[in-house]
PDB file of all heavy atoms in Angstrom:
ATOM      1  N   GLU A   1       6.124  -5.347  -6.038  1.00 92.00           N
ATOM      2  CA  GLU A   1       7.534  -5.527  -5.423  1.00 92.00           C
ATOM      3  C   GLU A   1       7.673  -4.716  -4.164  1.00 92.00           C
ATOM      4  O   GLU A   1       8.248  -5.174  -3.228  1.00 92.00           O
ATOM      5  CB  GLU A   1       8.593  -5.168  -6.455  1.00 92.00           C
ATOM      6  CG  GLU A   1       9.960  -5.358  -5.926  1.00 92.00           C
ATOM      7  CD  GLU A   1      10.217  -6.731  -5.312  1.00 92.00           C
ATOM      8  OE1 GLU A   1       9.740  -7.715  -5.783  1.00 92.00           O
ATOM      9  OE2 GLU A   1      11.011  -6.769  -4.262  1.00 92.00           O
ATOM     10  N   GLN A   2       7.186  -3.483  -4.140  1.00 89.00           N
ATOM     11  CA  GLN A   2       7.282  -2.686  -2.896  1.00 89.00           C
ATOM     12  C   GLN A   2       6.526  -3.132  -1.738  1.00 89.00           C
ATOM     13  O   GLN A   2       6.898  -3.246  -0.633  1.00 89.00           O
ATOM     14  CB  GLN A   2       6.883  -1.261  -3.123  1.00 89.00           C
ATOM     15  CG  GLN A   2       7.857  -0.399  -4.006  1.00 89.00           C
ATOM     16  CD  GLN A   2       7.452   0.994  -4.174  1.00 89.00           C
ATOM     17  OE1 GLN A   2       7.017   1.596  -3.140  1.00 89.00           O
ATOM     18  NE2 GLN A   2       7.800   1.589  -5.308  1.00 89.00           N
ATOM     19  N   VAL A   3       5.227  -3.726  -2.021  1.00 90.00           N
ATOM     20  CA  VAL A   3       4.551  -4.393  -0.982  1.00 90.00           C
ATOM     21  C   VAL A   3       5.138  -5.507  -0.459  1.00 90.00           C
ATOM     22  O   VAL A   3       5.285  -5.759   0.661  1.00 90.00           O
ATOM     23  CB  VAL A   3       3.135  -4.667  -1.467  1.00 90.00           C
ATOM     24  CG1 VAL A   3       2.399  -5.589  -0.501  1.00 90.00           C
ATOM     25  CG2 VAL A   3       2.274  -3.412  -1.827  1.00 90.00           C
ATOM     26  N   ASN A   4       5.672  -6.513  -1.433  1.00 92.00           N
ATOM     27  CA  ASN A   4       6.406  -7.627  -0.875  1.00 92.00           C
ATOM     28  C   ASN A   4       7.632  -7.275  -0.080  1.00 92.00           C
ATOM     29  O   ASN A   4       7.944  -8.003   0.890  1.00 92.00           O
ATOM     30  CB  ASN A   4       6.731  -8.485  -2.109  1.00 92.00           C
ATOM     31  CG  ASN A   4       5.781  -9.263  -2.776  1.00 92.00           C
ATOM     32  OD1 ASN A   4       4.535  -9.376  -2.275  1.00 92.00           O
ATOM     33  ND2 ASN A   4       5.770  -9.494  -4.076  1.00 92.00           N
ATOM     34  N   ARG A   5       8.414  -6.366  -0.444  1.00 92.00           N
ATOM     35  CA  ARG A   5       9.588  -5.948   0.227  1.00 92.00           C
ATOM     36  C   ARG A   5       9.262  -5.456   1.718  1.00 92.00           C
ATOM     37  O   ARG A   5       9.917  -5.807   2.689  1.00 92.00           O
ATOM     38  CB  ARG A   5      10.282  -4.832  -0.546  1.00 92.00           C
ATOM     39  CG  ARG A   5      11.629  -4.423   0.039  1.00 92.00           C
ATOM     40  CD  ARG A   5      12.481  -3.459  -0.739  1.00 92.00           C
ATOM     41  NE  ARG A   5      12.384  -3.695  -2.212  1.00 92.00           N
ATOM     42  CZ  ARG A   5      11.920  -2.789  -3.145  1.00 92.00           C
ATOM     43  NH1 ARG A   5      11.435  -1.612  -2.691  1.00 92.00           N
ATOM     44  NH2 ARG A   5      12.025  -3.095  -4.429  1.00 92.00           N
ATOM     45  N   ALA A   6       8.167  -4.646   1.712  1.00 90.00           N
ATOM     46  CA  ALA A   6       7.640  -4.146   3.039  1.00 90.00           C
ATOM     47  C   ALA A   6       7.188  -5.364   4.009  1.00 90.00           C
ATOM     48  O   ALA A   6       7.697  -5.361   5.126  1.00 90.00           O
ATOM     49  CB  ALA A   6       6.600  -3.071   2.880  1.00 90.00           C
ATOM     50  N   ILE A   7       6.485  -6.286   3.446  1.00 90.00           N
ATOM     51  CA  ILE A   7       6.066  -7.461   4.304  1.00 90.00           C
ATOM     52  C   ILE A   7       7.211  -8.303   4.768  1.00 90.00           C
ATOM     53  O   ILE A   7       7.264  -8.600   5.870  1.00 90.00           O
ATOM     54  CB  ILE A   7       4.996  -8.361   3.432  1.00 90.00           C
ATOM     55  CG1 ILE A   7       3.768  -7.543   3.132  1.00 90.00           C
ATOM     56  CG2 ILE A   7       4.819  -9.696   4.129  1.00 90.00           C
ATOM     57  CD1 ILE A   7       2.738  -8.140   2.330  1.00 90.00           C
ATOM     58  N   ARG A   8       8.258  -8.482   3.821  1.00 91.00           N
ATOM     59  CA  ARG A   8       9.372  -9.195   4.334  1.00 91.00           C
ATOM     60  C   ARG A   8      10.156  -8.503   5.387  1.00 91.00           C
ATOM     61  O   ARG A   8      10.597  -9.111   6.358  1.00 91.00           O
ATOM     62  CB  ARG A   8      10.448  -9.509   3.043  1.00 91.00           C
ATOM     63  CG  ARG A   8       9.924 -10.629   2.147  1.00 91.00           C
ATOM     64  CD  ARG A   8      10.971 -10.951   1.090  1.00 91.00           C
ATOM     65  NE  ARG A   8      11.372  -9.981   0.327  1.00 91.00           N
ATOM     66  CZ  ARG A   8      10.815  -9.494  -0.939  1.00 91.00           C
ATOM     67  NH1 ARG A   8       9.736 -10.187  -1.402  1.00 91.00           N
ATOM     68  NH2 ARG A   8      11.166  -8.524  -1.701  1.00 91.00           N
ATOM     69  N   ALA A   9      10.254  -7.132   5.271  1.00 90.00           N
ATOM     70  CA  ALA A   9      10.955  -6.423   6.306  1.00 90.00           C
ATOM     71  C   ALA A   9      10.182  -6.521   7.671  1.00 90.00           C
ATOM     72  O   ALA A   9      10.824  -6.649   8.619  1.00 90.00           O
ATOM     73  CB  ALA A   9      11.033  -4.930   5.863  1.00 90.00           C
ATOM     74  N   VAL A  10       8.848  -6.400   7.600  1.00 87.00           N
ATOM     75  CA  VAL A  10       8.192  -6.540   8.905  1.00 87.00           C
ATOM     76  C   VAL A  10       8.371  -7.930   9.442  1.00 87.00           C
ATOM     77  O   VAL A  10       8.466  -8.099  10.764  1.00 87.00           O
ATOM     78  CB  VAL A  10       6.585  -6.226   8.642  1.00 87.00           C
ATOM     79  CG1 VAL A  10       5.715  -6.638   9.821  1.00 87.00           C
ATOM     80  CG2 VAL A  10       6.514  -4.699   8.263  1.00 87.00           C
ATOM     81  N   TRP A  11       8.152  -9.012   8.635  1.00 87.00           N
ATOM     82  CA  TRP A  11       8.298 -10.362   9.174  1.00 87.00           C
ATOM     83  C   TRP A  11       9.592 -10.718   9.666  1.00 87.00           C
ATOM     84  O   TRP A  11       9.744 -11.455  10.539  1.00 87.00           O
ATOM     85  CB  TRP A  11       7.818 -11.284   8.140  1.00 87.00           C
ATOM     86  CG  TRP A  11       6.251 -11.405   8.106  1.00 87.00           C
ATOM     87  CD1 TRP A  11       5.360 -10.504   7.260  1.00 87.00           C
ATOM     88  CD2 TRP A  11       5.379 -12.181   8.923  1.00 87.00           C
ATOM     89  NE1 TRP A  11       4.049 -10.901   7.635  1.00 87.00           N
ATOM     90  CE2 TRP A  11       4.146 -11.855   8.684  1.00 87.00           C
ATOM     91  CE3 TRP A  11       5.681 -12.904   9.945  1.00 87.00           C
ATOM     92  CZ2 TRP A  11       3.049 -12.490   9.306  1.00 87.00           C
ATOM     93  CZ3 TRP A  11       4.519 -13.542  10.605  1.00 87.00           C
ATOM     94  CH2 TRP A  11       3.302 -13.260  10.359  1.00 87.00           C
ATOM     95  N   ALA A  12      10.712 -10.117   9.178  1.00 89.00           N
ATOM     96  CA  ALA A  12      12.054 -10.245   9.679  1.00 89.00           C
ATOM     97  C   ALA A  12      12.398  -9.478  10.891  1.00 89.00           C
ATOM     98  O   ALA A  12      13.378  -9.775  11.667  1.00 89.00           O
ATOM     99  CB  ALA A  12      13.069  -9.917   8.554  1.00 89.00           C
ATOM    100  N   SER A  13      11.603  -8.410  11.206  1.00 86.00           N
ATOM    101  CA  SER A  13      11.996  -7.395  12.190  1.00 86.00           C
ATOM    102  C   SER A  13      12.009  -7.818  13.627  1.00 86.00           C
ATOM    103  O   SER A  13      12.735  -7.284  14.473  1.00 86.00           O
ATOM    104  CB  SER A  13      11.133  -6.278  12.064  1.00 86.00           C
ATOM    105  OG  SER A  13       9.714  -6.567  12.525  1.00 86.00           O
ATOM    106  N   PRO A  14      11.404  -9.071  14.019  1.00 85.00           N
ATOM    107  CA  PRO A  14      11.506  -9.503  15.403  1.00 85.00           C
ATOM    108  C   PRO A  14      13.003  -9.896  15.627  1.00 85.00           C
ATOM    109  O   PRO A  14      13.319 -10.072  16.942  1.00 85.00           O
ATOM    110  CB  PRO A  14      10.641 -10.679  15.549  1.00 85.00           C
ATOM    111  CG  PRO A  14       9.558 -10.452  14.528  1.00 85.00           C
ATOM    112  CD  PRO A  14      10.391  -9.815  13.382  1.00 85.00           C
ATOM    113  N   PHE A  15      13.716 -10.159  14.592  1.00 85.00           N
ATOM    114  CA  PHE A  15      15.152 -10.585  14.942  1.00 85.00           C
ATOM    115  C   PHE A  15      16.234  -9.466  14.884  1.00 85.00           C
ATOM    116  O   PHE A  15      17.372  -9.629  15.006  1.00 85.00           O
ATOM    117  CB  PHE A  15      15.541 -11.588  13.751  1.00 85.00           C
ATOM    118  CG  PHE A  15      14.709 -12.724  13.789  1.00 85.00           C
ATOM    119  CD1 PHE A  15      13.674 -12.934  12.990  1.00 85.00           C
ATOM    120  CD2 PHE A  15      14.844 -13.790  14.797  1.00 85.00           C
ATOM    121  CE1 PHE A  15      12.730 -13.866  12.898  1.00 85.00           C
ATOM    122  CE2 PHE A  15      13.854 -14.896  14.849  1.00 85.00           C
ATOM    123  CZ  PHE A  15      12.806 -14.953  13.936  1.00 85.00           C
ATOM    124  N   LEU A  16      15.625  -8.187  14.812  1.00 85.00           N
ATOM    125  CA  LEU A  16      16.528  -7.068  14.791  1.00 85.00           C
ATOM    126  C   LEU A  16      16.823  -6.719  16.280  1.00 85.00           C
ATOM    127  O   LEU A  16      16.178  -6.890  17.186  1.00 85.00           O
ATOM    128  CB  LEU A  16      15.741  -5.862  14.232  1.00 85.00           C
ATOM    129  CG  LEU A  16      15.437  -5.811  12.763  1.00 85.00           C
ATOM    130  CD1 LEU A  16      14.604  -4.537  12.362  1.00 85.00           C
ATOM    131  CD2 LEU A  16      16.773  -5.903  11.912  1.00 85.00           C
ATOM    132  N   GLU A  17      18.055  -6.265  16.441  1.00 85.00           N
ATOM    133  CA  GLU A  17      18.581  -5.911  17.806  1.00 85.00           C
ATOM    134  C   GLU A  17      17.527  -5.028  18.613  1.00 85.00           C
ATOM    135  O   GLU A  17      17.426  -5.284  19.756  1.00 85.00           O
ATOM    136  CB  GLU A  17      19.960  -5.240  17.632  1.00 85.00           C
ATOM    137  CG  GLU A  17      20.624  -4.989  19.062  1.00 85.00           C
ATOM    138  CD  GLU A  17      21.994  -4.378  18.876  1.00 85.00           C
ATOM    139  OE1 GLU A  17      22.566  -4.541  17.784  1.00 85.00           O
ATOM    140  OE2 GLU A  17      22.525  -3.884  19.857  1.00 85.00           O
ATOM    141  N   LYS A  18      17.021  -4.001  18.017  1.00 78.00           N
ATOM    142  CA  LYS A  18      16.037  -3.119  18.556  1.00 78.00           C
ATOM    143  C   LYS A  18      14.962  -3.952  19.143  1.00 78.00           C
ATOM    144  O   LYS A  18      14.501  -3.683  20.298  1.00 78.00           O
ATOM    145  CB  LYS A  18      15.588  -1.974  17.609  1.00 78.00           C
ATOM    146  CG  LYS A  18      14.536  -1.124  18.184  1.00 78.00           C
ATOM    147  CD  LYS A  18      14.072  -0.097  17.173  1.00 78.00           C
ATOM    148  CE  LYS A  18      12.924  -0.735  16.482  1.00 78.00           C
ATOM    149  NZ  LYS A  18      12.163   0.336  15.766  1.00 78.00           N
ATOM    150  N   SER A  19      14.299  -4.770  18.302  1.00 79.00           N
ATOM    151  CA  SER A  19      13.243  -5.431  18.801  1.00 79.00           C
ATOM    152  C   SER A  19      13.552  -6.401  19.975  1.00 79.00           C
ATOM    153  O   SER A  19      12.860  -6.490  20.930  1.00 79.00           O
ATOM    154  CB  SER A  19      12.598  -6.367  17.552  1.00 79.00           C
ATOM    155  OG  SER A  19      11.500  -7.008  18.065  1.00 79.00           O
ATOM    156  N   ILE A  20      14.756  -7.145  19.788  1.00 79.00           N
ATOM    157  CA  ILE A  20      15.124  -8.011  21.006  1.00 79.00           C
ATOM    158  C   ILE A  20      15.375  -7.287  22.200  1.00 79.00           C
ATOM    159  O   ILE A  20      14.887  -7.545  23.371  1.00 79.00           O
ATOM    160  CB  ILE A  20      16.340  -8.807  20.483  1.00 79.00           C
ATOM    161  CG1 ILE A  20      15.949  -9.718  19.358  1.00 79.00           C
ATOM    162  CG2 ILE A  20      16.923  -9.631  21.643  1.00 79.00           C
ATOM    163  CD1 ILE A  20      17.146 -10.410  18.619  1.00 79.00           C
ATOM    164  N   PHE A  21      15.984  -6.067  22.186  1.00 78.00           N
ATOM    165  CA  PHE A  21      16.228  -5.199  23.237  1.00 78.00           C
ATOM    166  C   PHE A  21      14.967  -4.834  24.054  1.00 78.00           C
ATOM    167  O   PHE A  21      14.885  -4.924  25.152  1.00 78.00           O
ATOM    168  CB  PHE A  21      17.037  -3.998  22.874  1.00 78.00           C
ATOM    169  CG  PHE A  21      17.177  -3.020  23.920  1.00 78.00           C
ATOM    170  CD1 PHE A  21      18.063  -3.119  24.860  1.00 78.00           C
ATOM    171  CD2 PHE A  21      16.327  -1.884  24.046  1.00 78.00           C
ATOM    172  CE1 PHE A  21      18.200  -2.248  25.969  1.00 78.00           C
ATOM    173  CE2 PHE A  21      16.513  -0.877  25.015  1.00 78.00           C
ATOM    174  CZ  PHE A  21      17.493  -1.010  26.020  1.00 78.00           C
ATOM    175  N   TRP A  22      13.905  -4.382  23.315  1.00 72.00           N
ATOM    176  CA  TRP A  22      12.661  -3.828  23.810  1.00 72.00           C
ATOM    177  C   TRP A  22      11.840  -5.025  24.450  1.00 72.00           C
ATOM    178  O   TRP A  22      11.279  -4.864  25.435  1.00 72.00           O
ATOM    179  CB  TRP A  22      11.856  -2.999  22.885  1.00 72.00           C
ATOM    180  CG  TRP A  22      12.365  -1.713  22.683  1.00 72.00           C
ATOM    181  CD1 TRP A  22      13.001  -1.265  21.467  1.00 72.00           C
ATOM    182  CD2 TRP A  22      12.498  -0.577  23.571  1.00 72.00           C
ATOM    183  NE1 TRP A  22      13.555   0.058  21.730  1.00 72.00           N
ATOM    184  CE2 TRP A  22      13.144   0.386  23.006  1.00 72.00           C
ATOM    185  CE3 TRP A  22      12.101  -0.463  24.882  1.00 72.00           C
ATOM    186  CZ2 TRP A  22      13.359   1.678  23.523  1.00 72.00           C
ATOM    187  CZ3 TRP A  22      12.205   0.798  25.566  1.00 72.00           C
ATOM    188  CH2 TRP A  22      12.872   1.822  24.853  1.00 72.00           C
ATOM    189  N   ARG A  23      11.962  -6.102  23.779  1.00 73.00           N
ATOM    190  CA  ARG A  23      11.298  -7.399  24.469  1.00 73.00           C
ATOM    191  C   ARG A  23      11.996  -7.793  25.789  1.00 73.00           C
ATOM    192  O   ARG A  23      11.356  -8.070  26.800  1.00 73.00           O
ATOM    193  CB  ARG A  23      11.207  -8.533  23.460  1.00 73.00           C
ATOM    194  CG  ARG A  23      10.297  -8.317  22.336  1.00 73.00           C
ATOM    195  CD  ARG A  23       9.852  -9.586  21.546  1.00 73.00           C
ATOM    196  NE  ARG A  23      11.098 -10.412  21.167  1.00 73.00           N
ATOM    197  CZ  ARG A  23      11.715 -10.215  20.076  1.00 73.00           C
ATOM    198  NH1 ARG A  23      11.507  -9.125  19.300  1.00 73.00           N
ATOM    199  NH2 ARG A  23      12.737 -10.952  19.749  1.00 73.00           N
ATOM    200  N   ALA A  24      13.303  -7.764  25.706  1.00 76.00           N
ATOM    201  CA  ALA A  24      14.029  -8.148  26.976  1.00 76.00           C
ATOM    202  C   ALA A  24      13.779  -7.125  28.061  1.00 76.00           C
ATOM    203  O   ALA A  24      13.616  -7.564  29.198  1.00 76.00           O
ATOM    204  CB  ALA A  24      15.551  -8.106  26.687  1.00 76.00           C
ATOM    205  N   MET A  25      13.461  -5.842  27.679  1.00 72.00           N
ATOM    206  CA  MET A  25      13.158  -4.917  28.823  1.00 72.00           C
ATOM    207  C   MET A  25      11.736  -5.093  29.336  1.00 72.00           C
ATOM    208  O   MET A  25      11.354  -4.870  30.459  1.00 72.00           O
ATOM    209  CB  MET A  25      13.108  -3.474  28.249  1.00 72.00           C
ATOM    210  CG  MET A  25      14.582  -3.028  27.783  1.00 72.00           C
ATOM    211  SD  MET A  25      15.618  -2.738  29.010  1.00 72.00           S
ATOM    212  CE  MET A  25      14.997  -1.290  29.704  1.00 72.00           C
ATOM    213  N   ALA A  26      11.007  -5.739  28.569  1.00 68.00           N
ATOM    214  CA  ALA A  26       9.549  -5.944  28.924  1.00 68.00           C
ATOM    215  C   ALA A  26       9.191  -7.157  29.650  1.00 68.00           C
ATOM    216  O   ALA A  26       8.145  -7.331  30.248  1.00 68.00           O
ATOM    217  CB  ALA A  26       8.609  -5.872  27.802  1.00 68.00           C
ATOM    218  N   VAL A  27      10.033  -8.196  29.566  1.00 69.00           N
ATOM    219  CA  VAL A  27       9.877  -9.501  30.201  1.00 69.00           C
ATOM    220  C   VAL A  27      10.969  -9.875  31.259  1.00 69.00           C
ATOM    221  O   VAL A  27      12.065  -9.338  30.993  1.00 69.00           O
ATOM    222  CB  VAL A  27       9.658 -10.667  29.243  1.00 69.00           C
ATOM    223  CG1 VAL A  27       8.520 -10.454  28.267  1.00 69.00           C
ATOM    224  CG2 VAL A  27      10.964 -10.769  28.381  1.00 69.00           C
ATOM    225  N   SER A  28      10.595 -10.529  32.116  1.00 67.00           N
ATOM    226  CA  SER A  28      11.683 -10.971  33.193  1.00 67.00           C
ATOM    227  C   SER A  28      11.862 -12.497  33.050  1.00 67.00           C
ATOM    228  O   SER A  28      11.508 -13.286  33.945  1.00 67.00           O
ATOM    229  CB  SER A  28      11.086 -10.765  34.705  1.00 67.00           C
ATOM    230  OG  SER A  28       9.948 -11.199  34.859  1.00 67.00           O
ATOM    231  N   SER A  29      12.405 -12.782  31.890  1.00 66.00           N
ATOM    232  CA  SER A  29      12.770 -14.250  31.559  1.00 66.00           C
ATOM    233  C   SER A  29      14.119 -14.220  31.052  1.00 66.00           C
ATOM    234  O   SER A  29      14.597 -13.297  30.291  1.00 66.00           O
ATOM    235  CB  SER A  29      11.754 -14.627  30.565  1.00 66.00           C
ATOM    236  OG  SER A  29      12.190 -15.943  29.942  1.00 66.00           O
ATOM    237  N   PRO A  30      14.905 -15.321  31.398  1.00 67.00           N
ATOM    238  CA  PRO A  30      16.236 -15.486  30.807  1.00 67.00           C
ATOM    239  C   PRO A  30      16.365 -15.610  29.291  1.00 67.00           C
ATOM    240  O   PRO A  30      17.303 -15.350  28.554  1.00 67.00           O
ATOM    241  CB  PRO A  30      16.836 -16.687  31.463  1.00 67.00           C
ATOM    242  CG  PRO A  30      15.576 -17.485  31.972  1.00 67.00           C
ATOM    243  CD  PRO A  30      14.513 -16.427  32.156  1.00 67.00           C
TER     244      PRO A  30
END
């Protein structure tokens, strides 16, 4: 259960505000 919870958290993380912010800083695309 702990492994499954960790994997779900990692796979959902590209949609977190922090991840979106850092990607926006790294690319020059609308």
Side-chain angles (χ1 to χ4, degrees):
E1 182 51 37
Q2 287 189 32
V3 171
N4 288 339
R5 190 177 314 121
I7 290 171
R8 285 191 300 273
V10 169
W11 280 93
S13 68
F15 302 101
L16 295 175
E17 185 176 345
K18 176 183 92 165
S19 181
I20 293 168
F21 172 80
W22 284 109
R23 287 194 313 275
M25 297 290 287
V27 297
S28 57
S29 168

